[in-house]
Amino acid sequence: MLWLGCQMVGCDGGASPFAYVPANGKVTYDDGSPLPKGGLRLQFLSLDQSNVAELHPRPALATIDEKGLFENVTSYKYGDGLVRGKHTVAILDAKDEASGKLLVPEEYTSVKTSPIVVNTEELPFEIKIPKP
């Protein structure tokens, strides 16, 4: 019964119903200087309203290194990338622990308010952020 139930709702041993594109890139301030620390995370949210069998792609995550580079964007399995199309991007963990100040403007810290939009047709991504 369990096997039959899984087959009916789409359990397939962990495969995603979406196709992914490996994604990487670089994040800098708009003057070209690197962000002051590595370890910040990027969150990607697909803007594609289409879906597969009433499912929507998961938000993806990546970690920015001390040079501003990121790779291994992960949506479903480590390093799988992003679904094709446009994505809103937010910078998470963007607070300096010592001063408590944000390293990016506040609107860039949530996919609901971030003005950053990338397209998988334009890889690698070059993301520019204004200094706060």
Side-chain angles (χ1 to χ4, degrees):
M1 282 303 266
L2 181 60
W3 178 83
L4 182 58
C6 269
Q7 295 306 312
M8 290 175 64
V9 296
C11 297
D12 59 2
S16 171
F18 300 99
Y20 298 96
V21 177
N24 62 359
K26 186 172 188 175
V27 179
T28 61
Y29 287 122
D30 50 9
D31 65 3
S33 63
L35 300 178
K37 71 172 194 166
L40 303 178
R41 292 181 305 140
L42 296 177
Q43 181 180 34
F44 297 82
L45 181 66
S46 175
L47 295 175
D48 186 1
Q49 296 302 313
S50 67
N51 58 58
V52 176
E54 302 297 320
L55 301 174
H56 300 279
R58 293 180 183 175
L61 294 171
T63 302
I64 305 169
D65 71 14
E66 63 281 345
K67 296 178 184 175
L69 301 173
F70 63 93
E71 54 187 15
N72 299 317
V73 176
T74 302
S75 292
Y76 190 76
K77 292 184 180 179
Y78 181 76
D80 59 0
L82 299 168
V83 294
R84 293 187 185 278
K86 294 181 180 180
H87 298 260
T88 299
V89 183
I91 301 175
L92 308 178
D93 310 321
K95 197 174 270 193
D96 179 52
E97 294 90 18
S99 69
K101 293 182 180 179
L102 284 173
L103 302 172
V104 299
E106 187 172 358
E107 65 264 28
Y108 287 76
T109 64
S110 170
V111 290
K112 293 179 180 179
T113 57
S114 178
I116 307 168
V117 176
V118 296
N119 190 328
T120 57
E121 294 180 8
E122 300 167 357
L123 286 164
F125 299 133
E126 290 285 334
I127 299 173
K128 303 280 187 179
I129 307 295
K131 287 187 177 180

